[in-house]
Amino acid sequence: MKKYLIPFIVTLVLLFQPRSAYAIESGPLAIYPTKVDPKNPISRSWFVYKVEAGESLKDEVTVENKSNAPLTVKIYAADATTTAEGAFTLSPLKEGIALWLIPFETKITLPAKTQTAIPFNINVPIDAPTGDSVGAIVVEEVNAPAENPTGVTIVSRLGARVYVTVAGETKEKLEILKLEKLKIGSENNSSLNLTIKNEGNVILRPEASVTVLGLFGARELRLGNLGQVLAGKTVDQTLSLDKIPSGALWASVKLNYGTTTRNPI
């Protein structure tokens, strides 16, 4: 167990809420898995697979045009990454899902108020790395993009997440790279900035707690789940501290994580 200590003057807080999945639709477009497992609600929005290296599988994605006019779209796969704050986003790199997932159709025109199912294959290489690979199957408008009053061109695209776990030995390792005071507010309001890196090969969902030590003893704050940290990725988190007395204090942060065990750090 590693503890990082830092002095700070404290003060209110907000609990960090775990992220959740939402329907994948925006404006005239929607994209979602064609086949749904009623026992697994997440399958309504995301594709989740457990495979062996060298295995191939076939599935379908549904693309929907909700508008009153035809839409031409392209369909492609992309790898995923996270922003510095941990938000899920598409990566320009082509290393995993972007190479493995091949849609049967890459460009179609959808009539108004229609939907269509598009088959795709996922071909996992025999030398695919063990653990979690994350990406998305994306639908993007290819009609003339709209330009808003600021002169910025807007192109709509949506992605259904794809999670592929390749069987083999898993490595669960999380490192705290940095812990520092973010800011000191007024009236019992303070927060800490935490940088963590997933050095393993599977997605980790750490739970944080902060112990604050002052002249009148110690108090532990359980901040709950910090969301997912993709394998190999680094994210910044802001930990807010609630109902802490003002004054000179010391704080230590502990993260529990792991898919098969609860590993403290």
Side-chain angles (χ1 to χ4, degrees):
M1 179 185 299
K2 298 180 182 178
K3 290 186 177 180
Y4 292 73
L5 300 177
I6 138 176
F8 62 108
I9 307 287
V10 188
T11 42
L12 159 64
V13 156
L14 302 174
L15 293 178
F16 189 91
Q17 299 296 329
R19 300 178 181 86
S20 55
Y22 297 94
I24 310 163
E25 56 182 76
S26 177
L29 287 174
I31 185 171
Y32 44 86
T34 304
K35 304 169 185 176
V36 176
D37 179 359
K39 297 180 181 179
N40 184 10
I42 204 68
S43 67
R44 296 181 182 276
S45 301
W46 300 348
F47 297 93
V48 181
Y49 307 104
K50 293 183 179 181
V51 301
E52 300 286 339
E55 183 178 347
S56 294
L57 56 88
K58 182 178 178 180
D59 209 336
E60 293 182 352
V61 63
T62 294
V63 178
E64 182 178 354
N65 175 10
K66 302 186 295 176
S67 74
N68 295 318
L71 281 180
T72 299
V73 299
K74 58 182 178 180
I75 300 97
Y76 58 93
D79 287 322
T81 185
T82 51
T83 65
E85 295 75 26
F88 187 97
T89 188
L90 300 182
S91 169
L93 303 178
K94 295 182 180 296
E95 301 174 320
I97 303 299
L99 299 176
W100 305 351
L101 193 154
I102 310 297
F104 282 27
E105 297 184 78
T106 57
K107 185 176 181 180
I108 61 172
T109 297
L110 290 167
K113 302 293 185 182
T114 62
Q115 60 189 44
T116 187
I118 300 173
F120 62 85
N121 284 340
I122 294 181
N123 302 312
V124 182
I126 192 65
D127 59 350
T130 296
D132 296 333
S133 292
V134 186
I137 183 165
V138 181
V139 57
E140 179 179 321
E141 284 189 71
V142 295
N143 296 333
E147 189 174 281
N148 66 20
T150 66
V152 177
T153 297
I154 301 173
V155 176
S156 297
R157 67 176 180 174
L158 297 172
R161 298 189 192 188
V162 179
Y163 292 87
V164 176
T165 300
V166 179
E169 183 177 357
T170 60
K171 177 184 177 183
E172 299 174 340
K173 185 179 181 181
L174 198 66
E175 287 288 339
I176 297 177
L177 302 182
K178 181 175 65 175
L179 174 64
E180 62 182 19
K181 176 179 59 182
L182 179 62
K183 66 177 182 179
I184 301 174
S186 58
E187 287 297 319
N188 294 328
N189 181 7
S190 184
S191 54
L192 297 176
N193 189 52
L194 177 71
T195 301
I196 55 181
K197 182 177 182 180
N198 182 348
E199 295 191 346
N201 60 5
V202 293
I203 298 170
L204 296 176
R205 297 171 177 82
E207 295 179 354
S209 62
V210 177
T211 299
V212 178
L213 177 65
L215 296 177
F216 302 100
R219 179 166 181 256
E220 183 180 23
L221 298 172
R222 298 185 182 275
L223 303 182
N225 194 298
L226 299 183
Q228 64 181 12
V229 185
L230 303 185
K233 303 302 180 183
T234 299
V235 300
D236 295 324
Q237 295 282 356
T238 298
L239 306 182
S240 297
L241 310 177
D242 191 18
K243 298 179 181 178
I244 299 298
S246 59
L249 304 169
W250 288 84
S252 65
V253 176
K254 181 171 71 174
L255 301 178
N256 284 317
Y257 65 91
T259 55
T260 58
T261 58
R262 302 304 297 169
N263 302 310
I265 181 174

